[in-house]
Amino acid sequence: MSYLVMARRWRPQRFEDVIAQSHVTRTLQQAIARGRVAHSYILTGPRGVGKTTTARILAKAINCTNLQKGADGSVEPCNECDACNDITSGSALDVIEIDGASNNKVEDVRTLRENIKFSPNSLRRKVYIIDEVHMLSVNAFNALLKTLEEPPEHAMFIFATTEIHKVPATVLSRCQRFDFKRISPKEIRVQLDRIVEGDSIAIDDDALTTISIRAEGALRDALSILDQLVAYQGTEAITGDVVRQALGMIGPELYFRATDLAATGEVATALQLADDLANGGYDSREFLKGFQRHILNLLQLRAGIPAEQLDVSEPFRAEYEQRMEQHTDEDLLRMGEWAAETEDLLREVLDPRVRMELFLVRLSRMDRAVDLAALLKKLGVEPGSFKEPVKKNETVIRQDVDNKKDSVIAEKKEETVAPTAKEKEVSRPAEPSLPRETTPPRPHTETDLNLANAPAQMDELPPPPEEPPSDFDIPPSMDEVRKDRGASSGSRGKKPVEPYHSDTGQNEDIEKTLNLSTLREKWLSFCDEVRKTSISVSVQLELGAPTSLDHEMLTIMFEDAFKEESVKKDIPTIQNALLAVFGVNRRIITTVGEIAPNQRPQRRITSREKYEQEFKENLEKNPVWKQMQQRFDLNLDD
């Protein structure tokens, strides 16, 4: 007789022999004991965890003629009757196992529907076990729906799949679903101990632990590896080194060498480790996966988990306990994150060795994390003594700005006197006439008609022009200027109203006090007045600078042509603001050029400048900060 592999020889034949799936086996046992067996089940989970095995045990249990019942209400097949023996040997005609990958067409499902109508040959129930059911086509699933929902009383379906997300929801809703979980290395190790004892295999503890970790939660993979190692080693004992050599696995000593790089900082050692990995034929991604598991073991030890609970063999547990204090949690987390990033990058690079060398050199050049609280305590400073002075300075700056605004408002109030009734009558016409083409209209200005500031000059006003009263041009108000501008822009063929550029008759006191210095000092108040009408123009205006001022013209320079064009489109708004703040009117000229430092007006302090100023003040006040800068060679300007 040919050799039967361990995975088949040691296949569980009872519910209690299924490893780590008690939530599934208990439910099935109780359903059989109480007569509540469903007509369709679907078993899902990773490979090698017992899905097909459980399906066969269930088929035996519902057809067993000598069902064994336990004291706790569980049931088990006897494995002695003809039905159990036929199902175990695979010769039962009424237990049909179908491979979904090779029988995935509508014709295969049609054949199944025709055969399911016939009664069982020798068993009580006919059982269809479809493995890898997710491989069926969409049409095959649709053809199976009616039979799956209402099968004959003598028939039942058991589906198994590793990719449950590919099974249509219409199929899932007609089945009872059981999710199988991965088997832990400790549970695999217990089963391997039982098997090697039954087969009298000489193997040490390190080898069994390495196999259970290599299996990645699949007991079938562990048995296949053990079968391969027995053939590799023959009659000699199997050790951990033999397992790693035969399977091409990476030993923990290489992972310890990698973590030592961060402690020693030797680049040459890092490059030597990269050469050893390449010459040993180790896969780079496999090394990075194992390195992440190695980092996790160190973190678990630092968290207080006993070394006995780690998935490592006994010879290396003492090594882990010695190295657990070599690095802080922060350093270990950084090394683990770098390993994960490098593993992702290896999927796209053409030369993984170069990327691996860079990763190891990065480990060797890693800066150690510093606990600031412990550092300050060593320097004799309590961490709680530091207070954030930002709010205090921020309040002072805001108070300075508010005080300047209040002073500007107070000056304006002092200069303003309520006009008399006669002046109101002169300055507020009933209906302003349209301007003549020969003479540009004058915009309404408080200075031109503000006789309250200089009552003695009432008699010195120039006489009105010798024209009919109907032709007399009354200067419009600010609101009327805005309306005229809007009307002129919306009409075709009409000439837009030009802003007034002359300055005849203005207050001589204001003329003497207004100069470039005063204008630059009150530039922010001037921009705030513009903001009331146009926020965008105000923002651009703050970035400009007044470079020239005389009794007829004000020149504003910008360093950017876009800002100059934005302001140039709304000159009347700037003229009105100039009139409101300073009581004068000028023709506005905008230019583009480089603004000299002495020409820049007062501007608002930015958040970055505020924080830099506060930081420099704190650096001078707190000597501890100065010590930290000198001790760690910090570049505080960055």
Side-chain angles (χ1 to χ4, degrees), residues 256-273:
F256 284 119
R257 287 176 58 185
T259 51
D260 289 343
L261 293 175
T264 59
E266 298 178 357
V267 178
T269 306
L271 296 177
Q272 182 61 45
L273 177 58

Side-chain angles (χ1 to χ4, degrees), residues 5-47:
V5 297
M6 291 183 181
R8 294 183 58 185
R9 280 192 294 112
W10 290 93
R11 183 189 291 271
Q13 302 299 327
R14 298 164 59 88
F15 284 117
E16 64 179 3
D17 296 336
V18 179
I19 306 299
Q21 313 298 340
S22 59
H23 62 290
V24 177
T25 57
R26 175 178 171 78
T27 305
L28 295 177
Q29 286 177 307
Q30 295 295 330
I32 296 172
R34 300 183 181 184
R36 301 179 62 88
V37 179
H39 62 267
S40 58
Y41 294 93
I42 184 165
L43 313 179
T44 176
R47 70 184 189 279

Side-chain angles (χ1 to χ4, degrees), residues 41-56:
Y41 294 93
I42 184 165
L43 313 179
T44 176
R47 70 184 189 279
V49 295
K51 298 185 296 295
T52 306
T53 298
T54 303
R56 292 180 180 179

